[in-house]
Amino acid sequence: EPGPTRPLPEHPSAVPGGTMSRLVLRSAAVASAAALALLVAGCATSGSDDAPAPGASADAAPSPEDYVTPGTFTIATGETAYEPYVIDDDPASGEGFEAAVAYAVADKLGFAEDEVEWVRTSFESAIAPGPKSFDINIQQ
């Protein structure tokens, strides 16, 4: 038969106003302030670094030579593209989240829908180092 049980002593942080709880709160406040300072510093602009190069526009699109096939925006997607990202495994339809985003990007770059070519690739080959047969890859 087990002996009598003793209550466990309370941890100092469990005692209202205890030393540990003030230390934990102070540490959390300092850590939060430091994180906020880093966030603000990371978002700050430095002025000269943000300026476009001489003769360049801040919203200049890449030249046709910058694409795998000049005049065509080649987009890779998965070997099988699943809903809701691509409807009916047909990214060219523009239906589904990823297909719609891809066509929106193409439009912003100045490509019409008929200037977009879709290719299939595995995720592994998409992230492997080396030359690619596509301009961008979008897959879930």
Side-chain angles (χ1 to χ4, degrees):
E1 197 172 296
T5 59
R6 296 183 320 185
L8 292 174
E10 289 194 38
H11 191 275
S13 65
V15 179
T19 310
M20 192 67 154
S21 65
R22 280 181 280 191
L23 179 61
V24 169
L25 285 174
R26 189 175 303 130
S27 296
V30 169
S32 296
L36 180 61
L38 287 172
L39 177 66
V40 170
C43 294
T45 59
S46 62
S48 64
D49 291 342
D50 296 332
S57 168
D59 58 351
S63 69
E65 296 80 36
D66 293 330
Y67 295 98
V68 172
T69 305
T72 302
F73 190 49
T74 307
I75 305 171
T77 192
E79 296 286 348
T80 304
Y82 299 99
E83 295 187 17
Y85 309 104
V86 175
I87 305 301
D88 294 329
D89 194 25
D90 180 17
S93 72
E95 295 181 22
F97 178 74
E98 288 180 358
V101 167
Y103 277 113
V105 169
D107 181 59
K108 288 289 186 185
L109 292 172
F111 290 97
E113 282 189 29
D114 63 343
E115 296 172 316
V116 173
E117 179 184 343
W118 289 90
V119 296
R120 301 298 183 123
T121 185
S122 69
F123 179 76
E124 291 77 17
S125 65
I127 64 170
K132 305 290 183 231
S133 62
F134 50 85
D135 298 307
I136 67 167
N137 181 306
I138 185 166
Q139 59 180 288
Q140 61 284 351

